[in-house]
Amino acid sequence: ESLYLDSPRTGEPKEGAEVSNNQVVALECALPKMTQLTDLYIRGSWMTNRLVARLAPVLQQIPKLQELYLWDENLPEERKTEMDLILSQLVATNKVTVKYSFHTL
């Protein structure tokens, strides 16, 4: 089972496309119930250090999660390093593989 967290599609207004706190809270509640989730894709406005840091402890509660895909065409190297630090516990404890993509999928 896979889940995709993405920004508005091309052609949709991007201003104000910030992820709301309500969306994050809803996801924090829903993710632990997704026991069959194996792959999670995070992109666009979901791809911030703050949001990934909030979701990382919740992701540790998903027993079958194997791969976390983070993609952003403009991800600077220092942000990738910060993401690695944020996700280090998830990788160590749950043996989740984190994959980065810097190209449009």
Side-chain angles (χ1 to χ4, degrees):
E1 201 171 286
S2 298
L3 177 66
Y4 294 82
L5 302 177
D6 202 351
S7 294
R9 299 274 177 224
T10 307
E12 293 180 17
K14 297 226 187 278
E15 282 69 26
E18 290 264 328
V19 176
S20 75
N21 189 58
N22 288 346
Q23 288 172 298
V24 177
V25 169
L27 193 60
E28 287 172 325
C29 293
L31 278 173
K33 297 174 186 155
M34 296 180 176
T35 57
Q36 300 304 308
L37 185 66
T38 57
D39 304 309
L40 177 61
Y41 296 81
I42 299 178
R43 179 180 177 190
S45 55
W46 285 93
M47 177 68 174
T48 68
N49 292 0
R50 180 180 59 83
L51 288 176
V52 172
R54 273 187 71 176
L55 294 177
V58 179
L59 296 177
Q60 287 182 275
Q61 299 174 41
I62 304 171
K64 293 188 179 186
L65 187 64
Q66 297 171 2
E67 295 188 322
L68 177 61
Y69 298 91
L70 302 170
W71 78 93
D72 188 337
E73 298 87 60
N74 303 307
L75 184 68
E77 189 63 33
E78 60 272 7
R79 255 189 70 217
K80 180 188 176 297
T81 303
E82 290 171 18
M83 287 285 184
D84 284 340
L85 287 171
I86 291 167
L87 296 168
S88 62
Q89 186 67 37
L90 178 66
V91 170
T93 306
N94 295 54
K95 308 293 186 235
V96 171
T97 302
V98 177
K99 297 183 179 181
Y100 293 92
S101 177
F102 303 102
H103 308 288
T104 305
L105 294 179

